[in-house]
Amino acid sequence: GFLPLQGHIVRNWKVRWFVLLQDKLLYYKIEGGKKEPSPKGRILLDGCTITCPCLEYENRPLLIKLKTKTNTDYFLECCSREERDSWALDITGAIHAGHPVQVQELHRMKNSFKLLENISLHDIVERMYDSSTGIKLTRNLDQGNRYKETFTGSALVDWLISNSFAVSRFEAVTLASMLMDENFIRPVGVRSTEATRSSDPSEKFLDDSTALYMFAESSKKSTSSKEEVHFNISELSGKIVKQGFLVKQGHKRKNWKVRKFVLRADPAFLHYYDPTKEEHKPVGGFSLRGCLVSALEDNGVPAGVKGNVQGNLFKIITKNDIHYYIQASSKAERVQWIEAIKPLT
């Protein structure tokens, strides 16, 4: 699948097509909507170590870090927590292929806790911000540094249990770790920051009255102009139904670029982002009301499509008669996107 990869020499981000084999991770360049036949590079997994979640980039909370036995670092970014955990589990399985007990332990940890149905992390954060029933923010001192509007690890665990988001302290710690993984909250101070470097996922968030945390900058309530707040509320506040990397044909130059697509309901919008950019703002999007969506034939190049694309195309026509040509990575993925979009039109 597609994943943004940070370059080694020039530290920019490029989207590549990754293929996981038993002993290596290959990545390919996409040109004109088609994967090049030879890999652009490879990551040898023998002796490799994996860090997930990786919190080295505050505005990229869904990273996987791979360090090879030659101490070369690779940073890969995923679309969602579920996708990140799936990639991390499969890569770790390949690294430890000769150690089945470790792989079984990974599966056990992955399946040990599931978020309650109909509750999203966004909902939890909204409740945390509530002035009357949310988590209490206090000033704290840590090794000579003063921090405003913080809360302790144990206070968050208590709050999650008292608001019925978790039934035990173990579940609350797991849920708090999810909030930290997704960059809703972040550690501040020495104790909580050092814990994030632990190789044990269960020890990254501390249920402790001396471990300090605060809301991450990216999740703070907007204090911008009314126009920008209105834009965010009208388009970007809907429930995320589906997200993933797709290849899109440009409107003017007709070139193909990988974009991160986010499908939202109530209101129904489809936005797309440039995954190579640091800021998390859409580069485009449109309302799905009145749109038509359909698959395109894989035989030949359909009218309106430029380049030597490799099939799995679908088209969305907006009510303003704007045509979007999008390519999925497989027939199954194309079907999933069409079925997710249709009910929202």
Side-chain angles (χ1 to χ4, degrees):
F2 289 112
L3 294 172
L5 169 71
Q6 188 183 57
H8 286 82
I9 301 173
V10 180
R11 309 295 284 181
N12 57 354
W13 293 83
K14 299 287 186 182
V15 180
R16 300 294 185 230
W17 176 260
F18 281 81
V19 177
L20 177 62
L21 303 179
Q22 187 173 2
D23 60 344
K24 64 179 73 74
L25 190 59
L26 304 178
Y27 53 94
Y28 297 78
K29 190 176 180 181
I30 301 293
E31 279 294 334
K34 191 171 185 179
K35 175 175 72 70
E36 291 189 344
S38 300
K40 182 78 174 175
R42 67 194 69 214
I43 303 171
L44 299 178
L45 298 178
D46 179 37
C48 198
T49 58
I50 183 170
T51 303
C52 180
C54 174
L55 304 176
E56 293 195 22
Y57 294 88
E58 184 176 316
N59 55 345
R60 290 182 179 270
L62 299 172
L63 286 181
I64 297 172
K65 178 182 178 180
L66 297 175
K67 181 184 283 291
T68 67
K69 65 180 180 181
T70 58
N71 288 324
T72 302
D73 292 339
Y74 293 87
F75 292 92
L76 318 176
E77 186 178 35
C78 299
C79 259
S80 64
R81 184 180 186 276
E82 291 74 21
E83 183 191 50
R84 183 200 61 195
D85 291 350
S86 178
W87 270 106
L89 188 72
D90 290 340
I91 293 171
T92 306
I95 293 172
H96 300 299
H99 305 279
V101 173
Q102 288 178 282
V103 177
Q104 289 175 7
E105 178 65 13
L106 284 166
H107 281 282
R108 186 195 67 77
M109 289 177 61
K110 180 182 178 183
N111 298 318
S112 63
F113 175 73
K114 296 185 183 300
L115 201 59
L116 294 172
E117 290 187 14
N118 302 320
I119 294 292
S120 70
L121 295 180
H122 289 273
D123 296 332
I124 295 173
V125 174
E126 286 291 323
R127 291 273 295 276
M128 288 174 66
Y129 271 113
D130 190 282
S131 58
S132 58
T133 61
I135 191 162
K136 185 178 179 182
L137 302 178
T138 60
R139 294 171 180 261
N140 281 284
L141 184 68
D142 184 89
Q143 295 198 3
N145 294 316
R146 294 184 180 276
Y147 298 99
K148 298 179 180 179
E149 298 186 328
T150 61
F151 47 86
T152 66
S154 57
L156 179 54
V157 169
D158 292 341
W159 185 89
L160 290 169
I161 293 173
S162 65
N163 284 271
S164 302
F165 290 117
V167 297
S168 68
R169 300 195 79 82
F170 172 78
E171 284 193 3
V173 167
T174 306
L175 188 50
S177 299
M178 291 181 183
L179 292 170
M180 191 166 62
D181 291 351
E182 298 288 0
N183 207 33
F184 287 113
I185 63 173
R186 63 184 180 90
V188 290
V190 175
R191 182 161 166 71
S192 56
T193 302
E194 286 183 348
T196 63
R197 301 189 180 98
S198 170
S199 59
D200 186 346
S202 65
E203 296 176 359
K204 291 183 183 295
F205 180 89
L206 299 177
D207 178 8
D208 193 294
S209 61
T210 63
L212 302 180
Y213 299 88
M214 67 187 303
F215 289 112
E217 290 294 322
S218 60
S219 65
K220 285 186 177 179
K221 294 298 182 181
S222 175
T223 57
S224 55
S225 68
K226 291 182 179 179
E227 291 77 17
E228 186 173 345
V229 172
H230 178 71
F231 172 81
N232 289 335
I233 292 174
S234 64
E235 294 191 18
L236 301 175
S237 64
K239 179 183 178 182
I240 294 178
V241 176
K242 187 173 177 61
Q243 55 186 327
F245 294 112
L246 298 168
V247 190
K248 173 186 168 294
Q249 180 177 263
H251 282 54
K252 296 179 180 178
R253 296 177 60 190
K254 304 297 182 184
N255 55 349
W256 292 84
K257 292 185 177 180
V258 178
R259 294 290 183 244
K260 175 184 175 180
F261 279 79
V262 178
L263 177 63
R264 293 180 173 91
D266 300 322
F269 273 83
L270 184 63
H271 292 96
Y272 49 94
Y273 301 73
D274 184 344
T276 67
K277 302 297 183 185
E278 292 296 329
E279 65 273 9
H280 190 65
K281 295 180 180 179
V283 295
F286 51 91
S287 170
L288 290 171
R289 294 303 179 193
C291 285
L292 298 174
V293 57
S294 61
L296 298 178
E297 292 294 332
D298 289 336
N299 298 326
V301 180
V305 173
K306 305 291 183 181
N308 186 23
V309 295
Q310 53 191 21
N312 306 318
L313 293 169
F314 63 98
K315 179 171 69 172
I316 301 175
I317 305 175
T318 70
K319 63 180 180 181
N320 297 325
D321 200 34
I322 299 175
H323 294 222
Y324 290 87
Y325 295 95
I326 301 170
Q327 179 178 268
S329 60
S330 66
K331 286 184 173 64
E333 187 183 45
R334 176 173 64 180
V335 169
Q336 291 169 8
W337 273 99
I338 292 174
E339 289 182 348
I341 291 170
K342 273 187 176 179
L344 303 178
T345 59

